[in-house]
Amino acid sequence: MVRIKEGFKGQRLLSLPDDILRKYSQLPLVRPLYIRKMGFFPLVQHHYVQKDVGTDYCMLIYCVGGCGWYALQDHEPRKVEANHYLLLPPDTPYRFWADEYQPWTIYWIHFQGALAKDFLLYPVLSRPILPGNISRLQDRLNLFENIYDSFSMAYTREYMTHASLCLYALLSTFLHVDAFRHYLLPQHANDSFAVKVVHYMQENIANNLTLEELAGKFQYSTSHFSALFQKETGYSPINYYIQLKVRKACEYMELTHLKLYEIAEKVGFEEPSYFTRLFTKIMGMSPTEYRRRETSFGRENR
């Protein structure tokens, strides 16, 4: 069986040398909790990692698509599905891998520090954080991107400190989901049908929901669902969903240095060429032209 640890098409990965980490681990605001390595792996077929004697760090794995497996010591493998996360402890042999037929897409972080183990509140299990009317999946991913951007500048002390302090907030979104979502409760309690559907679409912007899946989520037939949504918005559900994807892609182009194929993946397009054709049709210009016009990056970033 082919086994690959890293080096995948479209992956993003950051790490710091051990000597730099040792220096940072003495800083008062960094010492309790800090990042060793982090990344994003999209559709990583043959991904496999095995730690026979464990590690000296904790690991967060957040699966946002496909599925994978993990096993602690000699225990039976357990499945990690889309919208599930996993916190792996230090000093414990384990292995994890992508499913052969539906390889996962994961965000992951290695973290250390005096308080690192205190974030392992539960037995090691794959736990779900599913999209819903008051879920904040995109907020969580935005926080990851904030940390990733700061960690990419972590040779500067202030950026490393910022990344470490933001890591508390990110881990809290997994361990205290209800508290993270709580502030949305009052403002979304009386939302219209279409607003609730749009929120659900936004939370699934990296996926490819079908009309059947959308209608099933809100317990309507496809025809009734489409009629209700179109009455409130003037658009068919799938057309609106595609518009949201393109709008999100524009946001990534304007606010990040992500390459175009990475942006395509993040808004649910496996084929960059199809993303380019669709984007051009909707926006009247190619993604490259849009980025050149709207940002100061001023270059093709593929």
Side-chain angles (χ1 to χ4, degrees):
M1 180 176 72
V2 178
R3 294 178 174 180
I4 304 172
K5 180 180 178 182
E6 55 190 51
F8 304 99
K9 178 183 177 181
Q11 76 169 33
R12 291 188 288 148
L13 184 153
L14 294 171
S15 63
L16 284 178
D18 288 343
D19 60 331
I20 301 295
L21 284 174
R22 280 193 293 270
K23 292 180 181 177
Y24 280 140
S25 68
Q26 304 306 310
L27 298 176
L29 291 180
V30 176
R31 181 171 59 241
L33 186 71
Y34 58 91
I35 300 162
R36 172 185 177 270
K37 194 173 185 178
M38 66 185 300
F40 169 74
F41 286 177
L43 292 168
V44 283
Q45 194 170 24
H46 308 307
H47 182 216
Y48 186 96
V49 174
Q50 183 164 337
K51 301 294 183 180
D52 290 330
V53 296
T55 66
D56 61 353
Y57 54 83
C58 303
M59 183 172 188
L60 166 71
I61 297 175
Y62 182 30
C63 177
V64 296
C67 58
W69 302 83
Y70 76 96
L72 296 181
Q73 298 177 333
D74 296 324
H75 296 170
E76 288 296 313
R78 292 177 176 268
K79 194 173 186 178
V80 183
E81 300 184 81
N83 297 311
H84 283 59
Y85 76 92
L86 180 66
L87 284 166
L88 293 169
D91 308 315
T92 302
Y94 61 74
R95 56 196 173 102
F96 56 82
W97 61 97
D99 186 79
E100 181 179 358
Y101 303 103
Q102 294 180 293
W104 59 14
T105 293
I106 57 172
Y107 292 84
W108 55 270
I109 298 179
H110 297 172
F111 59 96
Q112 295 175 288
L115 297 180
K117 290 183 180 180
D118 293 330
F119 286 88
L120 308 178
L121 299 179
Y122 310 107
V124 179
L125 292 172
S126 172
R127 295 181 177 275
I129 303 181
L130 302 178
N133 293 344
I134 59 167
S135 57
R136 298 178 63 192
L137 304 187
Q138 288 302 311
D139 289 345
R140 182 178 290 106
L141 297 184
N142 290 342
L143 182 53
F144 181 95
E145 294 296 343
N146 181 359
I147 295 171
Y148 189 92
D149 185 66
S150 291
F151 192 59
S152 72
M153 302 283 289
Y155 282 94
T156 303
R157 173 174 170 170
E158 289 78 6
Y159 284 91
M160 181 64 177
T161 303
H162 178 72
S164 295
L165 294 176
C166 287
L167 182 57
Y168 285 92
L170 180 66
L171 293 174
S172 178
T173 73
F174 291 100
L175 298 179
H176 304 293
V177 177
D178 290 342
F180 180 56
R181 293 176 171 178
H182 183 262
Y183 94 100
L184 285 181
L185 286 171
Q187 69 188 69
H188 285 272
N190 298 312
D191 279 346
S192 70
F193 166 76
V195 169
K196 291 177 181 177
V197 173
V198 170
H199 179 78
Y200 187 70
M201 289 177 175
Q202 290 171 330
E203 294 292 75
N204 283 277
I205 209 76
N207 300 320
N208 285 296
L209 296 175
T210 64
L211 179 60
E212 290 73 18
E213 288 171 332
L214 284 166
K217 167 65 181 177
F218 292 89
Q219 300 182 326
Y220 288 107
S221 67
T222 54
S223 58
H224 192 193
F225 176 85
S226 295
L228 286 173
F229 188 85
Q230 190 147 356
K231 182 179 179 181
E232 289 193 31
T233 66
Y235 294 91
S236 71
I238 296 303
N239 188 29
Y240 197 100
Y241 188 36
I242 291 172
Q243 296 280 349
L244 287 177
K245 287 175 176 286
V246 170
R247 188 186 309 167
K248 188 66 177 179
C250 291
E251 181 183 322
Y252 282 129
M253 287 179 210
E254 293 177 31
L255 301 179
T256 77
H257 291 271
L258 292 173
K259 297 178 181 178
L260 294 182
Y261 74 84
E262 293 174 330
I263 292 173
E265 290 168 350
K266 288 178 75 64
V267 295
F269 294 96
E270 294 182 16
E271 288 294 330
S273 59
Y274 177 65
F275 165 72
T276 297
R277 290 197 301 272
L278 191 63
F279 186 97
T280 303
K281 180 180 179 181
I282 292 173
M283 298 300 296
M285 66 184 74
S286 71
T288 302
E289 292 169 325
Y290 181 88
R291 171 168 266 175
R292 185 179 297 119
R293 190 189 74 176
E294 297 295 330
T295 75
S296 59
F297 301 152
R299 65 180 183 276
E300 171 60 24
N301 200 18
R302 298 191 191 194

